[in-house]
Amino acid sequence: MASLIYNVTAVRMDEDHTVLPNAWVLVEGEHIAAVGSGPAPECREAIDGKGGILLPGLINAHTHVPMTAMRGYGDGHDLHDWLNNYIFPVEARWDDRAVRCCADLGLAEMIASGITCIADMYARTGVIAQQVAQAGLSANLSCGGVQFEEEFDPEKNHDCAVQRALTEEWHGYGGGQIRIDASLHAEYTSHDGLCRWMAEYAARHGLGMHVHLSETEKEHEECKLRHGGQTPAAYLAGLGVFEGRAIAAHCVWTEPEDWAILAGKKVTAVHNPVSNLKLGSGVAPVVELRKAGVNVALGTDGVSSNNCTDFFGDLKLAAILQNGVRRDPLALTAWDALEMATVNGARALGRKTGRIEAGYMADLILLDGEALNLIPCHDAANNLAYAAHGSNVVMNMARGKVIYRNGEFLTIDIDRVKREVRDYALPLLFQK
């Protein structure tokens, strides 16, 4: 079935930074069929954009979706204190029903702010996959593998079993709507055995890799003490973890030698500016990473450390933070930030999306051109990077299907989700 979006300003996110006024986009099935300006072709299913801004759907390249349950819980602590004394004890109480409704809440929040594709790392991943499939987004999902025991046996390691089951059941589901990545939670929660096994499993099955990398100074420096001066990036690279497509979340404390490794292995660094600042972890060297040739994408991290997934907020902070730290207003431009949130994220996840171009996935979002904070519009890219909010999104089309429009969720029963979170998940997780 074909549909048409017309009467929009299209920010195409191509190499020429094309902004197309009075534009239209023809969608056939899951893909963009044609893009033009001026008089639009005839189409039975037509959406009048009313002069709004059309942008490729945003790509959240590092999330922990069900952690909406921990929004605002344990605030005011550094990463390791926060994890060990607040987050991990609560997570031990999860069951499938609670994960299901909290994942739905997280997906709904992201859909409403223009996200059409995510890379998520969390436990009970199969439940999350079910909810993603129903919600209509695309996702690269991973379980965040850990190995705490010294002796490694893949037949006894829980996350090896999970990885195999996820891959067999979900990888490629829905024509690629869901893909499964291999994963390691981090260097400090693994040993050589699991790292090698995950690397080999990813290579055998053509999977990507998702890891946390050098998020805190403590993590980074203690790795060097454990491994003869090797940084987390060097250590994981030496075990083959980065031989295929890979995303490394945070990279706050990475060093020049790490940037060379990431660039050489074509690893994407995922910048999570809000989470890193809130937890006091630091500021990622985004400018240096980019100069070294590293693809840099954008993520929110979990709501538990953000505390929301309004991706436009992360996008704005990503841009202005680098400029402020370096006292250079051109350190990271509006276009640079938009690329991190779209085309760079698509490259990170190995997906043909993030651009408004024929043949690309029809992941498209429409922002209200009459919103007070978007008037006037001297420059569409600047408005998107510095002025827009998630609340300006009036339509979210994922894989050619409208899943959110004018405040209405079309694939999620939001009233049921709120009721389940309030009456079931929160009492279960935060019981006295």
mmCIF file with all atom_site columns, all heavy atoms in Angstrom, residues 179-196:
data_model
loop_
_atom_site.group_PDB
_atom_site.id
_atom_site.type_symbol
_atom_site.label_atom_id
_atom_site.label_alt_id
_atom_site.label_comp_id
_atom_site.label_asym_id
_atom_site.label_entity_id
_atom_site.label_seq_id
_atom_site.pdbx_PDB_ins_code
_atom_site.Cartn_x
_atom_site.Cartn_y
_atom_site.Cartn_z
_atom_site.occupancy
_atom_site.B_iso_or_equiv
_atom_site.pdbx_formal_charge
_atom_site.auth_seq_id
_atom_site.auth_comp_id
_atom_site.auth_asym_id
_atom_site.auth_atom_id
_atom_site.pdbx_PDB_model_num
ATOM 1   N N   . ARG A 1 179 ? 16.680 -7.291  15.140 1.00 0.00 ? 179 ARG A N   1
ATOM 2   C CA  . ARG A 1 179 ? 17.947 -7.986  14.959 1.00 0.00 ? 179 ARG A CA  1
ATOM 3   C C   . ARG A 1 179 ? 18.546 -8.222  16.334 1.00 0.00 ? 179 ARG A C   1
ATOM 4   O O   . ARG A 1 179 ? 18.374 -7.413  17.238 1.00 0.00 ? 179 ARG A O   1
ATOM 5   C CB  . ARG A 1 179 ? 18.917 -7.168  14.104 1.00 0.00 ? 179 ARG A CB  1
ATOM 6   C CG  . ARG A 1 179 ? 18.431 -6.953  12.677 1.00 0.00 ? 179 ARG A CG  1
ATOM 7   C CD  . ARG A 1 179 ? 19.428 -6.126  11.894 1.00 0.00 ? 179 ARG A CD  1
ATOM 8   N NE  . ARG A 1 179 ? 18.954 -5.880  10.538 1.00 0.00 ? 179 ARG A NE  1
ATOM 9   C CZ  . ARG A 1 179 ? 19.603 -5.122  9.649  1.00 0.00 ? 179 ARG A CZ  1
ATOM 10  N NH1 . ARG A 1 179 ? 20.742 -4.538  9.976  1.00 0.00 ? 179 ARG A NH1 1
ATOM 11  N NH2 . ARG A 1 179 ? 19.102 -4.953  8.430  1.00 0.00 ? 179 ARG A NH2 1
ATOM 12  N N   . ILE A 1 180 ? 19.247 -9.312  16.474 1.00 0.00 ? 180 ILE A N   1
ATOM 13  C CA  . ILE A 1 180 ? 19.914 -9.619  17.729 1.00 0.00 ? 180 ILE A CA  1
ATOM 14  C C   . ILE A 1 180 ? 21.409 -9.354  17.570 1.00 0.00 ? 180 ILE A C   1
ATOM 15  O O   . ILE A 1 180 ? 22.023 -9.776  16.593 1.00 0.00 ? 180 ILE A O   1
ATOM 16  C CB  . ILE A 1 180 ? 19.676 -11.090 18.135 1.00 0.00 ? 180 ILE A CB  1
ATOM 17  C CG1 . ILE A 1 180 ? 18.187 -11.345 18.340 1.00 0.00 ? 180 ILE A CG1 1
ATOM 18  C CG2 . ILE A 1 180 ? 20.475 -11.436 19.385 1.00 0.00 ? 180 ILE A CG2 1
ATOM 19  C CD1 . ILE A 1 180 ? 17.518 -10.495 19.393 1.00 0.00 ? 180 ILE A CD1 1
ATOM 20  N N   . ASP A 1 181 ? 21.953 -8.606  18.519 1.00 0.00 ? 181 ASP A N   1
ATOM 21  C CA  . ASP A 1 181 ? 23.399 -8.400  18.584 1.00 0.00 ? 181 ASP A CA  1
ATOM 22  C C   . ASP A 1 181 ? 23.975 -9.261  19.701 1.00 0.00 ? 181 ASP A C   1
ATOM 23  O O   . ASP A 1 181 ? 23.293 -9.551  20.693 1.00 0.00 ? 181 ASP A O   1
ATOM 24  C CB  . ASP A 1 181 ? 23.730 -6.936  18.879 1.00 0.00 ? 181 ASP A CB  1
ATOM 25  C CG  . ASP A 1 181 ? 23.527 -6.030  17.671 1.00 0.00 ? 181 ASP A CG  1
ATOM 26  O OD1 . ASP A 1 181 ? 23.436 -6.542  16.540 1.00 0.00 ? 181 ASP A OD1 1
ATOM 27  O OD2 . ASP A 1 181 ? 23.450 -4.800  17.861 1.00 0.00 ? 181 ASP A OD2 1
ATOM 28  N N   . ALA A 1 182 ? 25.221 -9.665  19.550 1.00 0.00 ? 182 ALA A N   1
ATOM 29  C CA  . ALA A 1 182 ? 25.959 -10.226 20.675 1.00 0.00 ? 182 ALA A CA  1
ATOM 30  C C   . ALA A 1 182 ? 26.294 -9.080  21.623 1.00 0.00 ? 182 ALA A C   1
ATOM 31  O O   . ALA A 1 182 ? 26.225 -7.904  21.237 1.00 0.00 ? 182 ALA A O   1
ATOM 32  C CB  . ALA A 1 182 ? 27.225 -10.913 20.173 1.00 0.00 ? 182 ALA A CB  1
ATOM 33  N N   . SER A 1 183 ? 26.647 -9.407  22.863 1.00 0.00 ? 183 SER A N   1
ATOM 34  C CA  . SER A 1 183 ? 26.909 -8.291  23.782 1.00 0.00 ? 183 SER A CA  1
ATOM 35  C C   . SER A 1 183 ? 27.742 -8.719  24.972 1.00 0.00 ? 183 SER A C   1
ATOM 36  O O   . SER A 1 183 ? 27.738 -9.872  25.388 1.00 0.00 ? 183 SER A O   1
ATOM 37  C CB  . SER A 1 183 ? 25.590 -7.694  24.279 1.00 0.00 ? 183 SER A CB  1
ATOM 38  O OG  . SER A 1 183 ? 24.863 -8.649  25.039 1.00 0.00 ? 183 SER A OG  1
ATOM 39  N N   . LEU A 1 184 ? 28.447 -7.739  25.508 1.00 0.00 ? 184 LEU A N   1
ATOM 40  C CA  . LEU A 1 184 ? 29.141 -7.837  26.789 1.00 0.00 ? 184 LEU A CA  1
ATOM 41  C C   . LEU A 1 184 ? 28.741 -6.612  27.586 1.00 0.00 ? 184 LEU A C   1
ATOM 42  O O   . LEU A 1 184 ? 28.814 -5.483  27.069 1.00 0.00 ? 184 LEU A O   1
ATOM 43  C CB  . LEU A 1 184 ? 30.652 -7.852  26.589 1.00 0.00 ? 184 LEU A CB  1
ATOM 44  C CG  . LEU A 1 184 ? 31.222 -9.058  25.848 1.00 0.00 ? 184 LEU A CG  1
ATOM 45  C CD1 . LEU A 1 184 ? 32.622 -8.759  25.342 1.00 0.00 ? 184 LEU A CD1 1
ATOM 46  C CD2 . LEU A 1 184 ? 31.221 -10.279 26.766 1.00 0.00 ? 184 LEU A CD2 1
ATOM 47  N N   . HIS A 1 185 ? 28.303 -6.806  28.817 1.00 0.00 ? 185 HIS A N   1
ATOM 48  C CA  . HIS A 1 185 ? 27.942 -5.635  29.601 1.00 0.00 ? 185 HIS A CA  1
ATOM 49  C C   . HIS A 1 185 ? 29.126 -4.683  29.669 1.00 0.00 ? 185 HIS A C   1
ATOM 50  O O   . HIS A 1 185 ? 28.986 -3.483  29.390 1.00 0.00 ? 185 HIS A O   1
ATOM 51  C CB  . HIS A 1 185 ? 27.497 -6.045  31.008 1.00 0.00 ? 185 HIS A CB  1
ATOM 52  C CG  . HIS A 1 185 ? 27.233 -4.877  31.893 1.00 0.00 ? 185 HIS A CG  1
ATOM 53  N ND1 . HIS A 1 185 ? 28.183 -4.356  32.759 1.00 0.00 ? 185 HIS A ND1 1
ATOM 54  C CD2 . HIS A 1 185 ? 26.141 -4.090  32.024 1.00 0.00 ? 185 HIS A CD2 1
ATOM 55  C CE1 . HIS A 1 185 ? 27.675 -3.322  33.383 1.00 0.00 ? 185 HIS A CE1 1
ATOM 56  N NE2 . HIS A 1 185 ? 26.446 -3.126  32.968 1.00 0.00 ? 185 HIS A NE2 1
ATOM 57  N N   . ALA A 1 186 ? 30.288 -5.181  30.021 1.00 0.00 ? 186 ALA A N   1
ATOM 58  C CA  . ALA A 1 186 ? 31.491 -4.342  30.090 1.00 0.00 ? 186 ALA A CA  1
ATOM 59  C C   . ALA A 1 186 ? 32.688 -5.224  30.405 1.00 0.00 ? 186 ALA A C   1
ATOM 60  O O   . ALA A 1 186 ? 32.544 -6.379  30.813 1.00 0.00 ? 186 ALA A O   1
ATOM 61  C CB  . ALA A 1 186 ? 31.340 -3.260  31.178 1.00 0.00 ? 186 ALA A CB  1
ATOM 62  N N   . GLU A 1 187 ? 33.868 -4.643  30.275 1.00 0.00 ? 187 GLU A N   1
ATOM 63  C CA  . GLU A 1 187 ? 35.087 -5.375  30.634 1.00 0.00 ? 187 GLU A CA  1
ATOM 64  C C   . GLU A 1 187 ? 35.063 -5.785  32.096 1.00 0.00 ? 187 GLU A C   1
ATOM 65  O O   . GLU A 1 187 ? 35.443 -6.900  32.451 1.00 0.00 ? 187 GLU A O   1
ATOM 66  C CB  . GLU A 1 187 ? 36.311 -4.506  30.332 1.00 0.00 ? 187 GLU A CB  1
ATOM 67  C CG  . GLU A 1 187 ? 37.636 -5.066  30.821 1.00 0.00 ? 187 GLU A CG  1
ATOM 68  C CD  . GLU A 1 187 ? 37.942 -4.738  32.285 1.00 0.00 ? 187 GLU A CD  1
ATOM 69  O OE1 . GLU A 1 187 ? 37.491 -3.682  32.766 1.00 0.00 ? 187 GLU A OE1 1
ATOM 70  O OE2 . GLU A 1 187 ? 38.624 -5.558  32.935 1.00 0.00 ? 187 GLU A OE2 1
ATOM 71  N N   . TYR A 1 188 ? 34.599 -4.903  32.975 1.00 0.00 ? 188 TYR A N   1
ATOM 72  C CA  . TYR A 1 188 ? 34.684 -5.158  34.414 1.00 0.00 ? 188 TYR A CA  1
ATOM 73  C C   . TYR A 1 188 ? 33.627 -6.151  34.917 1.00 0.00 ? 188 TYR A C   1
ATOM 74  O O   . TYR A 1 188 ? 33.668 -6.554  36.083 1.00 0.00 ? 188 TYR A O   1
ATOM 75  C CB  . TYR A 1 188 ? 34.614 -3.849  35.218 1.00 0.00 ? 188 TYR A CB  1
ATOM 76  C CG  . TYR A 1 188 ? 33.305 -3.081  35.109 1.00 0.00 ? 188 TYR A CG  1
ATOM 77  C CD1 . TYR A 1 188 ? 32.255 -3.297  36.007 1.00 0.00 ? 188 TYR A CD1 1
ATOM 78  C CD2 . TYR A 1 188 ? 33.124 -2.110  34.125 1.00 0.00 ? 188 TYR A CD2 1
ATOM 79  C CE1 . TYR A 1 188 ? 31.074 -2.584  35.912 1.00 0.00 ? 188 TYR A CE1 1
ATOM 80  C CE2 . TYR A 1 188 ? 31.942 -1.393  34.027 1.00 0.00 ? 188 TYR A CE2 1
ATOM 81  C CZ  . TYR A 1 188 ? 30.925 -1.631  34.923 1.00 0.00 ? 188 TYR A CZ  1
ATOM 82  O OH  . TYR A 1 188 ? 29.752 -0.923  34.831 1.00 0.00 ? 188 TYR A OH  1
ATOM 83  N N   . THR A 1 189 ? 32.706 -6.563  34.060 1.00 0.00 ? 189 THR A N   1
ATOM 84  C CA  . THR A 1 189 ? 31.726 -7.588  34.445 1.00 0.00 ? 189 THR A CA  1
ATOM 85  C C   . THR A 1 189 ? 31.924 -8.873  33.638 1.00 0.00 ? 189 THR A C   1
ATOM 86  O O   . THR A 1 189 ? 31.019 -9.696  33.556 1.00 0.00 ? 189 THR A O   1
ATOM 87  C CB  . THR A 1 189 ? 30.286 -7.062  34.252 1.00 0.00 ? 189 THR A CB  1
ATOM 88  O OG1 . THR A 1 189 ? 30.150 -6.541  32.922 1.00 0.00 ? 189 THR A OG1 1
ATOM 89  C CG2 . THR A 1 189 ? 29.953 -5.979  35.259 1.00 0.00 ? 189 THR A CG2 1
ATOM 90  N N   . SER A 1 190 ? 33.098 -9.031  33.039 1.00 0.00 ? 190 SER A N   1
ATOM 91  C CA  . SER A 1 190 ? 33.383 -10.220 32.228 1.00 0.00 ? 190 SER A CA  1
ATOM 92  C C   . SER A 1 190 ? 34.805 -10.699 32.474 1.00 0.00 ? 190 SER A C   1
ATOM 93  O O   . SER A 1 190 ? 35.598 -10.022 33.137 1.00 0.00 ? 190 SER A O   1
ATOM 94  C CB  . SER A 1 190 ? 33.204 -9.912  30.738 1.00 0.00 ? 190 SER A CB  1
ATOM 95  O OG  . SER A 1 190 ? 31.878 -9.570  30.442 1.00 0.00 ? 190 SER A OG  1
ATOM 96  N N   . HIS A 1 191 ? 35.097 -11.853 31.927 1.00 0.00 ? 191 HIS A N   1
ATOM 97  C CA  . HIS A 1 191 ? 36.456 -12.395 31.892 1.00 0.00 ? 191 HIS A CA  1
ATOM 98  C C   . HIS A 1 191 ? 36.755 -12.816 30.456 1.00 0.00 ? 191 HIS A C   1
ATOM 99  O O   . HIS A 1 191 ? 35.892 -12.760 29.584 1.00 0.00 ? 191 HIS A O   1
ATOM 100 C CB  . HIS A 1 191 ? 36.603 -13.580 32.847 1.00 0.00 ? 191 HIS A CB  1
ATOM 101 C CG  . HIS A 1 191 ? 36.465 -13.231 34.293 1.00 0.00 ? 191 HIS A CG  1
ATOM 102 N ND1 . HIS A 1 191 ? 37.392 -12.475 34.973 1.00 0.00 ? 191 HIS A ND1 1
ATOM 103 C CD2 . HIS A 1 191 ? 35.477 -13.517 35.191 1.00 0.00 ? 191 HIS A CD2 1
ATOM 104 C CE1 . HIS A 1 191 ? 37.018 -12.331 36.227 1.00 0.00 ? 191 HIS A CE1 1
ATOM 105 N NE2 . HIS A 1 191 ? 35.841 -12.942 36.382 1.00 0.00 ? 191 HIS A NE2 1
ATOM 106 N N   . ASP A 1 192 ? 37.985 -13.274 30.235 1.00 0.00 ? 192 ASP A N   1
ATOM 107 C CA  . ASP A 1 192 ? 38.420 -13.629 28.882 1.00 0.00 ? 192 ASP A CA  1
ATOM 108 C C   . ASP A 1 192 ? 37.489 -14.638 28.209 1.00 0.00 ? 192 ASP A C   1
ATOM 109 O O   . ASP A 1 192 ? 37.215 -14.542 27.012 1.00 0.00 ? 192 ASP A O   1
ATOM 110 C CB  . ASP A 1 192 ? 39.832 -14.232 28.918 1.00 0.00 ? 192 ASP A CB  1
ATOM 111 C CG  . ASP A 1 192 ? 40.899 -13.208 29.259 1.00 0.00 ? 192 ASP A CG  1
ATOM 112 O OD1 . ASP A 1 192 ? 40.540 -12.129 29.767 1.00 0.00 ? 192 ASP A OD1 1
ATOM 113 O OD2 . ASP A 1 192 ? 42.082 -13.502 29.037 1.00 0.00 ? 192 ASP A OD2 1
ATOM 114 N N   . GLY A 1 193 ? 37.012 -15.616 28.992 1.00 0.00 ? 193 GLY A N   1
ATOM 115 C CA  . GLY A 1 193 ? 36.236 -16.695 28.407 1.00 0.00 ? 193 GLY A CA  1
ATOM 116 C C   . GLY A 1 193 ? 34.984 -16.209 27.701 1.00 0.00 ? 193 GLY A C   1
ATOM 117 O O   . GLY A 1 193 ? 34.745 -16.547 26.534 1.00 0.00 ? 193 GLY A O   1
ATOM 118 N N   . LEU A 1 194 ? 34.168 -15.414 28.383 1.00 0.00 ? 194 LEU A N   1
ATOM 119 C CA  . LEU A 1 194 ? 32.934 -14.920 27.789 1.00 0.00 ? 194 LEU A CA  1
ATOM 120 C C   . LEU A 1 194 ? 33.238 -13.966 26.636 1.00 0.00 ? 194 LEU A C   1
ATOM 121 O O   . LEU A 1 194 ? 32.539 -13.985 25.614 1.00 0.00 ? 194 LEU A O   1
ATOM 122 C CB  . LEU A 1 194 ? 32.069 -14.219 28.830 1.00 0.00 ? 194 LEU A CB  1
ATOM 123 C CG  . LEU A 1 194 ? 30.737 -13.683 28.299 1.00 0.00 ? 194 LEU A CG  1
ATOM 124 C CD1 . LEU A 1 194 ? 29.844 -14.821 27.806 1.00 0.00 ? 194 LEU A CD1 1
ATOM 125 C CD2 . LEU A 1 194 ? 30.011 -12.860 29.365 1.00 0.00 ? 194 LEU A CD2 1
ATOM 126 N N   . CYS A 1 195 ? 34.266 -13.128 26.804 1.00 0.00 ? 195 CYS A N   1
ATOM 127 C CA  . CYS A 1 195 ? 34.607 -12.186 25.730 1.00 0.00 ? 195 CYS A CA  1
ATOM 128 C C   . CYS A 1 195 ? 34.937 -12.930 24.438 1.00 0.00 ? 195 CYS A C   1
ATOM 129 O O   . CYS A 1 195 ? 34.436 -12.574 23.362 1.00 0.00 ? 195 CYS A O   1
ATOM 130 C CB  . CYS A 1 195 ? 35.792 -11.318 26.146 1.00 0.00 ? 195 CYS A CB  1
ATOM 131 S SG  . CYS A 1 195 ? 35.455 -10.197 27.524 1.00 0.00 ? 195 CYS A SG  1
ATOM 132 N N   . ARG A 1 196 ? 35.764 -13.957 24.556 1.00 0.00 ? 196 ARG A N   1
ATOM 133 C CA  . ARG A 1 196 ? 36.130 -14.731 23.356 1.00 0.00 ? 196 ARG A CA  1
ATOM 134 C C   . ARG A 1 196 ? 34.905 -15.460 22.785 1.00 0.00 ? 196 ARG A C   1
ATOM 135 O O   . ARG A 1 196 ? 34.708 -15.515 21.570 1.00 0.00 ? 196 ARG A O   1
ATOM 136 C CB  . ARG A 1 196 ? 37.235 -15.737 23.692 1.00 0.00 ? 196 ARG A CB  1
ATOM 137 C CG  . ARG A 1 196 ? 38.606 -15.107 23.940 1.00 0.00 ? 196 ARG A CG  1
ATOM 138 C CD  . ARG A 1 196 ? 39.701 -16.165 23.867 1.00 0.00 ? 196 ARG A CD  1
ATOM 139 N NE  . ARG A 1 196 ? 41.021 -15.569 24.019 1.00 0.00 ? 196 ARG A NE  1
ATOM 140 C CZ  . ARG A 1 196 ? 41.675 -15.456 25.175 1.00 0.00 ? 196 ARG A CZ  1
ATOM 141 N NH1 . ARG A 1 196 ? 41.117 -15.920 26.282 1.00 0.00 ? 196 ARG A NH1 1
ATOM 142 N NH2 . ARG A 1 196 ? 42.870 -14.905 25.229 1.00 0.00 ? 196 ARG A NH2 1
#
